[in-house]
Structure formats: C-alpha cells, structure tokens
Amino acid sequence: MLKSIKIRILAIFIIFLILIVVICIYKFRASFLTKEERLQKFRPSTAITGLLGSDGKALFKGESIEKDSFDYFKKLNHKIYFSFPIPLDGYVIPILGADTNSFKTLAQHMQWNKYSDNIKSRNIGLDKNNVYCGDQKIPNLNPKNLSFLGDGYLTDQQHTYFCDWEFKAKSDAIKPNIFEKFDYAIFGTKISQTGYYYPLYKLINGSKPYKLILKNTVTNGESTYIDGLYLKVTQPDQLAYLQTFQPNENIHKENSYTTDKINVFFKNKILDITYHTHLQSIPFNFEIYLYDPKTNYYFYKSNKINYNNLKLINTEDKKSNKPIFSNQDSLFIFNTKKLELEKISKNPFHNSLYTLSPSVLSNGKDIYSINSYNIYSSTLFMFFSRLCSSNLELRVMKNMPIVKWEKFRKISIKNPKYDWEKIQGNVWKYKEDLYYLPENGGILKLHSTESSNRFLNNQITFSEAERLINDKSLFEPVLGRKFAKYREIHNFCFKNYVN
C-alpha cells in the first residue's frame, strides 16, 4: 500500500515537472511562431480587436445605430462599424464606404418594432447606396427597392441573396498546437479565431419572384434554396417537414428532414432513401437522426449509418446527448465527427429489454441507468464556460430482477409560472424500498418522511418539490457501478483526462 502511494506521488511529480518544462519552452522560445501570427492573413487590417478592458467593460464606445437593438451596427467618428457577437472577446470592423448619415438597420428600414425584429436579420443594414451583410457590401442589390423575404433572404426584384445570420471563422480549419493548448489549460489564454464573416449566397432569379415556403427555404417554382444552397427538388410546392415529431419536439423541426413526397432531404442533400409515411425523425441534443423501418437503416443528418440490424435502445430518452445503438453482440455510439460507429461495450440486452423510465432499462436481471453530462473548462487563474467534452455513461445495479419491480405512483407537479415545465416521473417499489425515476433521468431512492409522503401524493408545490429532490437525505441518488462510458471531446482541457 505504501509503495503504491509513493509511486503515485512520484508520477504526479514527474507530470508536474514535464508541465513546467513545456511551459518554459513555450514562453521563452523566441523563434516559435504563435497561432496569432499564423492567422494574421485571415484578419482584415482594419479590424479592431481586444475590446474588453481588465474590468470586463467594452472599450469601443460607438453610438448605437438603433436603440434597443443588439448593437451589431455602431457609429463612431463619421464611420459605421460592425461588431461581431463573439463570447469573451470583441471584434469590430469598419464598413468601408458606408454612408453615415443614411445608414440604418433592416429593422428600421422595415419599420419593425423591437418585439417583431427577426433575429435572422440583425446583421443586415443599408444606406442610400448599398445593402450590407455584416461588414460585407452585397453586390448589385438596390436599397431603394429592397424587400426582405424572411430568414436572411433579400431581394430588389432583380437580384436575390441569402445572408446567413450565423457567423463563421475563416480560421476554423487551423487547430491549436500543443503549446497553445497548455497555455490555455494553465493560464486561460484564449485560443483565438480570426477572420470572422457571414456566408453570403446569390440566388438565380427566374420569371417569378421568390417566396418563403419553409423555415430557411425559398422557391420561385423554378429554383429552390435552403440556407442559401440550391435544393434539387422537382415539386417544391409539395415540400414539407417529416411529420413525426411530438408536440414538445417541434423546436427541432426546422433543422430536420424535409420531403417532396418522392425524395427525402437533409438541408440540401438528398438521402439514399425512398420516401414513405413511416419514416421516423429522432432528435437527440439538437441533433437529428432518421430511422427507416422498411430497410432497418439509420441516418445521421445526410449520412447513412451503414450497419444493418441496429436497434436504438434509448429512443424515448430526450435528455441523453447521444443515441445508443445495439446489435446482438455490442452497444455502439455513432461518432458524429468521424461519421462511424464506435463500440462502447458488450450488449447486456441481447435477450430482453424492459423500460422503467426513458433512461432506466432492465435486461430482466440487472438495472441499467443512462447518465449524460458535460465537462466545462476552468484554469488556475480564471473561470469561464468553454465546453471540454460531452459524456455519456451506462451504470448498472446488479441482481435486481424486473419481476420484483412494481410501479407504485405517478408524479406530475406543474410549475405555476410556466405550463411547459413539470417535475414528473414514476415511483417504483422494489422489495420494501421506493425509487423515484424522473423523466429527465436518474434514480433516486426515497426515504420516508412527512415531506416525501406529500411528494408521493402530489400534494406539494413546484418550488418545494425542487428543493426536496436536491436534498440527498430524502432523495438519495443511486449511481450503480460504471458499465460503459463514451466521451466526445470538443476542446482541449485537462479535465477531459482526469475525470
């Protein structure tokens, strides 16, 4: 035991020594080319960066073009500036040639009030001469005849454009090197991206004007575009979303699949599938999957998961960040970056699968719970939210046969302020113990008190229920033993390797 402790202390000391050496090499290696230097070619020479002072307040004091707006456009010293809404930093660029006196936002041009302003138009402005998408001048678009079709589409009847409302970085393809990663992890130095822009696409005009038919989708009967990209569809008047969502899932619809009753599309891509009414769209953590029961194949976005006889074991678990697939032998996660299946464990459900709650399953003998969580960054010198990784765990409680579980009570407690928010789930009895299985995941063992009895009888307020559920002396979390784990890394963080 003592020897093991000494080995651990020695290993920690060696790791710490290596870190010190790496940091010293990085800090004092004068010939080393920094990422900021490598990315200068992407940054406009007129850009103003580093806009936050040491107190976190903005150093750029331009006058807002429009009151009650998001301050994308500003005026300073007879110039118009565009401010990219970048977390933890600022990035402002002058709009070259913009007329200060006549400049206005699209919302002002359309005479919208602050409540009806479309979020997909806040990066669009115009003056007496030109229309602008962010800081870009839109070629040949006449502001005098300007019309807004919706969702980023603009036309002057002669020319039609799509101005994306989500900015991108030209430097996205350049990954940070090892020294930058250590500097970020230890000192919190931001791994910057430069050269921000809003994608701008020109549409082909025809004999008829374009009209918005679905979210982000326009057609003139001859050509159809989604997010500014050409959609090869022969019957645009038939174009519709796949109607497979539950009412509480409609938020996913506009980022889902569409069909013209012949083909199935994800965005502007045609899927290798024939349309029929039994296709199923499945949302997971704002990602959309598709299942075709006729061929027994799944799709992720436009990508066919080319593995037959898969089954989805957590279809109803809307809190999971990933779907878990199974075949006779194994459990899999689909890696959305590599676009391939990755095995995470053997399949404990190859003989039978029972559902106690959306995230609690049984194979008849053992109980398995699905737990999803994210890890966020923190450093020695500063704290801020940067997503390090998304994690999914499958945990097991051995030798708890399903035949001894009895559904005891249904829980449903509404929030009086928000009708859509509820504390709900089911209470199950196993032998002499009660377990609360909330619909949003987890297993909580109930300890009998006057308060927990009122909870069981739905005789408790929403706020009190929230407080009680977080009291571990009354609702004891049951984790079980780790059976399988999958981690998707989004950014380099030491926490990814020590948790």
Side-chain angles (χ1 to χ4, degrees):
M1 180 70 178
L2 184 61
K3 184 178 180 181
S4 175
I5 293 174
K6 287 182 178 179
I7 291 174
R8 290 181 183 178
I9 293 174
L10 181 62
I12 292 172
F13 177 78
I14 292 173
I15 292 172
F16 182 77
L17 190 62
I18 292 172
L19 286 175
I20 295 297
V21 171
V22 170
I23 292 169
C24 289
I25 291 173
Y26 171 60
K27 291 296 181 183
F28 301 108
R29 190 177 177 184
S31 61
F32 182 75
L33 193 63
T34 68
K35 182 181 182 184
E36 200 63 25
E37 291 170 324
R38 287 188 280 119
L39 295 179
Q40 281 296 332
K41 62 180 180 178
F42 294 114
R43 176 182 292 167
S45 58
T46 54
I48 305 170
T49 58
L51 301 177
L52 296 181
S54 58
D55 58 357
K57 294 182 179 179
L59 299 178
F60 186 85
K61 301 295 184 181
E63 175 188 352
S64 295
I65 298 295
E66 177 189 4
K67 292 182 179 179
D68 301 317
S69 74
F70 273 62
D71 288 342
Y72 283 16
F73 295 100
K74 292 188 176 185
K75 184 189 301 184
L76 181 68
N77 297 331
H78 305 291
K79 288 185 179 180
I80 301 296
Y81 291 83
F82 183 81
S83 176
F84 285 88
I86 302 169
L88 305 176
D89 201 358
Y91 188 93
V92 172
I93 186 167
I95 302 178
L96 301 178
D99 182 74
T100 309
N101 295 325
S102 62
F103 194 93
K104 54 188 173 182
T105 66
L106 183 66
Q108 290 172 319
H109 175 73
M110 301 298 294
Q111 297 183 340
W112 294 329
N113 61 47
K114 63 180 179 181
Y115 301 108
S116 63
D117 186 5
N118 191 319
I119 192 171
K120 296 183 180 180
S121 70
R122 288 173 177 163
N123 60 326
I124 300 172
L126 64 154
D127 60 21
K128 64 180 182 180
N129 300 313
N130 296 291
V131 184
Y132 303 90
C133 174
D135 64 301
Q136 305 170 79
K137 182 189 298 183
I138 302 179
N140 304 316
L141 200 60
N142 186 348
K144 296 182 177 63
N145 300 323
L146 184 66
S147 296
F148 184 61
L149 303 177
D151 292 349
Y153 290 95
L154 299 154
T155 185
D156 62 1
Q157 315 313 319
Q158 298 296 318
H159 305 280
T160 304
Y161 284 87
F162 173 76
C163 171
D164 201 329
W165 64 289
E166 294 185 298
F167 64 85
K168 291 180 171 54
K170 296 178 182 177
S171 58
D172 278 342
I174 296 183
K175 297 180 179 180
N177 58 48
I178 187 65
F179 299 111
E180 293 166 314
K181 289 180 178 180
F182 276 115
D183 199 33
Y184 164 72
I186 299 298
F187 297 102
T189 304
K190 184 171 181 255
I191 301 176
S192 61
Q193 295 177 309
T194 57
Y196 296 96
Y197 72 104
Y198 288 92
L200 178 67
Y201 303 100
K202 185 175 183 180
L203 281 58
I204 299 174
N205 273 24
S207 58
K208 296 181 179 180
Y210 282 100
K211 63 179 180 179
L212 195 72
I213 55 172
L214 294 175
K215 288 286 187 181
N216 310 334
T217 307
V218 294
T219 188
N220 60 5
E222 302 168 22
S223 302
T224 304
Y225 292 83
I226 179 167
D227 290 333
L229 301 174
Y230 181 75
L231 179 64
K232 190 177 180 181
V233 55
T234 55
Q235 300 186 84
D237 57 320
Q238 295 289 315
L239 201 62
Y241 297 110
L242 288 182
Q243 298 297 315
T244 60
F245 290 107
Q246 300 298 319
N248 63 330
E249 296 173 348
N250 281 334
I251 186 175
H252 303 282
K253 186 181 289 186
E254 67 181 85
N255 293 313
S256 182
Y257 298 90
T258 56
T259 180
D260 59 358
K261 307 300 187 291
I262 299 173
N263 295 309
V264 180
F265 309 92
F266 182 82
K267 300 298 184 182
N268 70 323
K269 302 289 181 63
I270 301 177
L271 273 63
D272 179 20
I273 193 173
T274 302
Y275 170 76
H276 59 84
T277 57
H278 299 292
L279 293 171
Q280 301 171 19
S281 296
I282 308 169
F284 268 92
N285 196 32
F286 296 100
E287 298 276 22
I288 304 294
Y289 293 78
L290 180 70
Y291 175 60
D292 180 5
K294 284 191 175 182
T295 63
N296 200 28
Y297 276 105
Y298 288 87
F299 291 78
Y300 165 72
K301 295 186 176 179
S302 61
N303 304 281
K304 186 177 183 179
I305 302 177
N306 205 9
Y307 201 115
N308 207 349
N309 297 319
L310 287 177
K311 293 181 180 179
L312 194 55
I313 70 169
N314 58 336
T315 307
E316 301 301 321
D317 185 9
K318 303 309 177 188
K319 299 298 180 180
S320 287
N321 53 32
K322 290 284 184 181
I324 302 175
F325 297 98
S326 71
N327 65 4
Q328 182 65 18
D329 302 315
S330 306
L331 297 183
F332 304 90
I333 294 290
F334 186 71
N335 187 315
T336 56
K337 293 181 180 178
K338 296 180 181 179
L339 299 178
E340 61 185 30
L341 282 174
E342 293 185 3
K343 178 181 175 180
I344 60 171
S345 73
K346 63 181 181 180
N347 181 13
F349 309 109
H350 62 275
N351 288 327
S352 55
L353 175 63
Y354 304 92
T355 301
L356 282 81
S357 82
S359 65
V360 179
L361 311 171
S362 171
N363 60 4
K365 180 182 178 182
D366 306 318
I367 300 297
Y368 294 81
S369 61
I370 303 167
N371 179 35
S372 296
Y373 62 94
N374 293 328
I375 293 178
Y376 293 91
S377 64
S378 61
T379 69
L380 296 178
F381 302 99
M382 65 182 296
F383 295 87
F384 54 83
S385 294
R386 183 180 177 94
L387 183 60
C388 298
S389 61
S390 302
N391 299 267
L392 184 143
E393 290 181 346
L394 192 64
R395 290 182 170 270
V396 61
M397 295 188 294
K398 303 290 286 185
N399 300 318
M400 298 183 77
I402 189 68
V403 294
K404 294 185 179 180
W405 286 80
E406 176 187 354
K407 188 175 287 188
F408 183 75
R409 198 68 51 83
K410 182 176 179 61
I411 302 297
S412 182
I413 303 171
K414 292 183 179 180
N415 186 334
K417 293 184 178 179
Y418 309 105
D419 291 339
W420 51 267
E421 188 175 15
K422 296 179 182 178
I423 291 174
Q424 59 185 8
N426 288 294
V427 176
W428 289 76
K429 187 175 182 179
Y430 178 76
K431 295 183 177 179
E432 300 303 318
D433 296 321
L434 294 178
Y435 294 88
Y436 173 52
L437 278 52
E439 284 200 358
N440 61 359
I443 303 175
L444 301 172
K445 184 177 181 179
L446 272 71
H447 295 285
S448 180
T449 66
E450 187 274 334
S451 295
S452 62
N453 289 335
R454 288 193 297 115
F455 175 83
L456 286 172
N457 293 299
N458 291 286
Q459 296 173 343
I460 196 171
T461 65
F462 182 87
S463 58
E464 189 178 1
E466 279 190 313
R467 179 179 60 80
L468 288 178
I469 287 174
N470 291 312
D471 186 343
K472 294 182 180 179
S473 65
L474 299 179
F475 289 79
E476 179 187 349
V478 180
L479 294 178
R481 181 173 57 84
K482 189 184 298 182
F483 179 80
K485 183 174 181 177
Y486 180 81
R487 171 168 289 172
E488 180 180 4
I489 294 178
H490 301 284
N491 290 292
F492 174 85
C493 302
F494 281 127
K495 282 188 174 182
N496 287 333
Y497 306 100
V498 297
N499 280 280

